[in-house]
Structure formats: structure tokens, C-alpha cells
Amino acid sequence: MKDILRGKNDMNPMKHPHEHTFHIPVMGLGYTIDTPVKVARFGISSVVSIIQDELVEQMREFHCGASGEEYVPIRADDPDHRAKRITAYLNLLQRIVDKQVHRIRSEPFGKGKEITKYFVLLPDHSPLKKLYLDMAESTGKAKEFLQQKLRDTIKAGSIDVNIMASADNPNYSKTGEPLPEPYNDAMAALRGFAESNLSSSCIFSAGFNPRLYSYAETFPDFFPDRNGHLKKKIILKVSDYRSALIQGKFLAGKGLFVSEFRVESGLNCGGHAFPTNGKLLGPVLEEFRVNRHHLNTMLLDLCNKALQAKHHHLLSPDVTASLSVQGGIGTANEDAFLRNHYDIDTTGWGSPFLLVPEATNVDEDTLQSLARAKKEDYYLSHASPLGIPFNNFRKSTSEKQRKTRIGKNRPGSPCYLRHLRFNTEFTESPVCLSSREYQHLKLQELAKMELTKKEFREAFDLITEKDCLCHGLSASVLIRNKLPLPHKLNAVAICPGPNLAYFSSIFSLKKMVDHIYGRTNILNSLPRAHMFVNELKMYVEYFKNELLKKYHSASLQQKGYFVTFRSNLLNGIEYYKQLALQMPNDPSESKNKIKEEMEMIRESLLAFCMGPLFKNVFEKI
């Protein structure tokens, strides 16, 4: 077991810039907004959402007070308040973490000390962990020497940020005039990060935004210094290789190197889901594994040519883009297999950390609901105003509030923050699909249409399912820290991935980290298939639902999409059946069990496609 969890790559010091082999991805708007203050001093990297500047400013005031720093407000009437707030907050996080690390380095080693916790949390294969164990058994001068050596190695986890590339709303002056593009939401957020003191990464997620990517070109920290070092790095969150290739080439053509491709399962994830056309996580990672060297060489060459043309310093020829994966990982064996078989640098563990108060911000009521939740409480919804599938939680207070408003014949939310205003169907200025204004107008239109009761109910539910995420995904951190709730909106929206169904308690940071590294097992008693099997089941269910809803009114091109989708699923199943032979032997994840489950899913899929509704289409393949 120890050999499996160690793996062939983990002893390479160039493989991991940090000793930990996992990171905590961004969650919601507030769940990880100050996670670096909680875990960075232990060498754990995490990701902060910076798109919601009002929340950022509230958290800056809170942490200034907690750390004894003077808080000077950045007022909303400042035209560039959004970027300035983000810069000030990120600089504050850096100062707090720097102080924490300095304090840890000066502590004596001993029970209950954070310096001890730093090394105890490390994976067992870490050279520093082994050095720590040697120190613990030493005495006298040798012990003092090793303790100082350990102190010198302490390094904070990275304070990374996330920007949803698609959330790039224009903003307006007090007189209603549109502000220039650099004041758009995502572009202002990028400027806030770029002008901060951080030496870390910006993750671009939720779509390809050429305007935003081009804007990164205007900030020197994204280009190498004379030593080839990048102070600010770019990470792309992608769900397939083609997306990585297209976006990577676009950025490289501007002299911007993608330092990491963060592959996320299209469906087995938290927050917004970006399903592929049936390409499963394993085959996607295989494509990265096979093409990784070529991709890196091509992007590095393109990037250095662009840098040379701009008269910038060049990147070192041995620079390599990292590869990480996240979405649905639940066991130490799965984590180790991903890292070793696909040559993954780090893995992302998101939703399980919602149950770790030491790491994330979940209010007590929501925390207890998550700890007691059942599998059916997690579901893929149409709640997002972005029109993108959204992983939701049935027992959230936000969901209860949405239904209450419908019951009072007042569907929709008041729209104060206006970060997701994109629709101009009824209005000149964009409005949000979850807003009361839009839903009122849309339901008026619906009432005039000649629909059956069933058609009306389906359309009504689709319109009113949209919920306010700007407030909902921010409320929990404010409630937990007893901070003022804007407009007294206290309903909490939370968006765990379906994998959280297999975790049913509240855990310490140490307990969760020990689970990730195979030192303990905190899964509940619910039978859990391998993560690849679980994702496949989700894709097959998604495929069947989409086919039933859309196929009969689909164009010829759209029907071709379903044919491709099914083909990708079947190819993925065959890939997994062969992959199972290469997996390590483990009683809970046996090769035969995985193959049997894959075959059962394959037969079910074929039976559905060859049924009376779709037989005439798929039998031609």
C-alpha cells in the first residue's frame, strides 16, 4: 500500500513546488475567500474567488481588525474601486500569511505547536517528513541542527485566485454611462490581482475570453524577468485537451505561458458543470499524457517567439507546464493512481473541505445539513443565471427561499450586486435571469402562449429555477463571522459536487489531510464506486436526459452531436475496461468490479439507444 501511495514521481523535488500533492480549489464566492489565512502557513495551496468585490472589501475590513491593521475603506464611488479593493485584500492576505509563517518558524517543536503540525501534515513520502521523523528521534546538538534545518524549509502554500472568464459584465457610471472595458468585472479583477504583491497564479475558468486574456498582456508580472521567473502565472481550468490547446496557443501568441492546465471533470465537480460531448475524465487525461511533451514544447516555442518580438526576457528552455486534476476524487488510492499513471503534478480536493471548518467558511446550519445529507440531496440543476448546469444542494436555505417566493407569487430575487446581468430580451440594459424583474416579464410572456398544462409547468419551472448566486454564495462566510448581510439577505446557496455524498461528518484539517494521504479512511458506509465509474454514470444519465428532452426538435447537426456523444461514451468504457488491468490491487476497488460495472453501464446505454424512440438513428452506426 505504501509503495502505491508513494508512486514513482513523488520523490522528485522538481515535481512539486510545494511539499503537499493536493490543493484546495475555489468554492463559491465566499467558501474559500480567506482559506489562505487558515491553511497556507501549513504549506497548503488554495484558491480565492475575487470577482465579488463587495465581499472582498467586507473580508478586508474583518481581517484588518483581526490582525490589528488599520482599515481604510475603498469607497464605491471611486471609478476603479473594484480593482483597488482586490489588490488591497490580496496584499493583506500576503502580509497575514507572512506573519504566520514567521511565527511558526520561531516556535519550539512540541505537542500542540503549529510548527509540529506543519510537518505532521506532510505526506509520508515527503523528504521533509522523513527529516522531521529523524529530528524527533535525535538528541542534543544533532536535534538542534535538524530543527533549524526544518525551520529553514517552511514555505507557505500559494495564494492563488480564480476569475470566471465569462463573468465579465460591463459597469456603469452614476449617470448611467458605460465605463470603459477595463472596468468590466473580470478585467477589473485581473487588474486587482496583477497589481498586487502576490507571486502566485490566476486561474481562468468558465470559458474562453479573448478580451480578458489579451488584457493580461498589459501587466509586466505575467512576463519573465531576467532570470526567466514569472511573478504572476496563468492556470487554465479545462475539461478537455482541445480546449487547452486552443487557449494555450492564443495566450502563447501573446507571450503568455500557461504554467498549469487544471483538468476538471465535466460533471463530477462542484459549482458550475461544463459537460463535454461524452469525453470522460480518464480518456481526457490520457490525451494529455500522450501529448503533454509536444504541447509544452509547442507552447514554449510560440511563447518565446512572441517574447522575443516584444523585446522581453525569454523563458528558460526547461520550463514545463504543470498538469493537475480535480473533480470527484475520494480515496487515497484514486489520488495516487491519477498522479502516477497520468503523471499528474497535483490533485484538487474541493467539496470534502466544506466539512472542514479549519479550512473553509460554512455557516453552522449549512454545515450540519451537509454532514447529515443523503445522496439524493446533491443534484445537477438549472439554478445558475449563466445558463450553465449547476451542482446544487436541495437542503440549502437559498433553495427554500426560492420556493417560498414562488409560493407567495413573487418569484425571482432582488438584484443588487448585478454581476450576472447578461439578458436583454425585454430591457435595454442587461438584467439577470434570476432577478424578479426578468422572471416577472418572462412569466407574463409565458401566460400569453398557448401551452398544455404540462408544457406550461415545465417552462415555468425552468424560468423560476434560476437563483441569485451573487448573494447566495457569499452569505455563509458573513453569517459564520457575524458580519453584516447586505440588504439582510441571509439565504445560503452552496454548490458541492456529488462526491460529497460519501462524506458524512465534520472533520479536522488533520483528519482530512490524513484521508487524502491514506493514513486514515473517513468515507461513510454508503457504497461508493470508483470515481471513473461514478463520473460515467453521471454522463450516461445526462446523455439520456438531454436526448429525451431535445432530440425530436433537434437539427441534423444537433442530432450528430448526440451520435458523437454516445460514441465517446462507448469508447470511454472500452478504455476504462483496459485501464482497470493496470490499476493496483485493492479490495475496495478491484479490477473485476470496475470492469463488471463498466459492462453493465454499456449494456444499459446500448439498450436505451436501441429502444423504439432512437433505434432508427443509432442502428445506422
Side-chain angles (χ1 to χ4, degrees), residues 292-310:
R292 185 174 178 182
H293 177 72
H294 169 72
L295 177 66
N296 194 84
T297 302
M298 176 184 60
L299 295 183
L300 181 60
D301 183 57
L302 281 174
C303 193
N304 273 337
K305 285 179 180 177
L307 289 169
Q308 190 172 29
K310 294 173 183 288

Side-chain angles (χ1 to χ4, degrees), residues 9 21 30 87 98 126 148 260-261 290 297 332 360 381 389 429 442 494 496 502 504 519 527 567 571 584 587:
N9 296 318
T21 60
T87 299
D98 286 346
S126 162
Q148 187 56 50
E260 178 184 329
F261 292 101
V290 171
T297 302
T360 56
S381 74
S429 298
K442 190 67 176 175
I494 194 163
Y502 304 102
S504 297
R519 297 188 287 248
S567 177
N571 289 338

Side-chain angles (χ1 to χ4, degrees), residues 18-20 42-43 117-130 132 150 153 513-514 517 519:
H18 299 279
E19 288 292 313
H20 286 287
F42 300 117
K117 186 174 180 178
Y118 180 97
F119 294 102
V120 167
L121 289 177
L122 292 174
D124 293 343
H125 57 71
S126 162
L128 290 186
K129 182 66 167 285
K130 293 175 180 178
Y132 167 77
L150 287 168
T153 65
V513 174
D514 283 349
Y517 292 140
R519 297 188 287 248

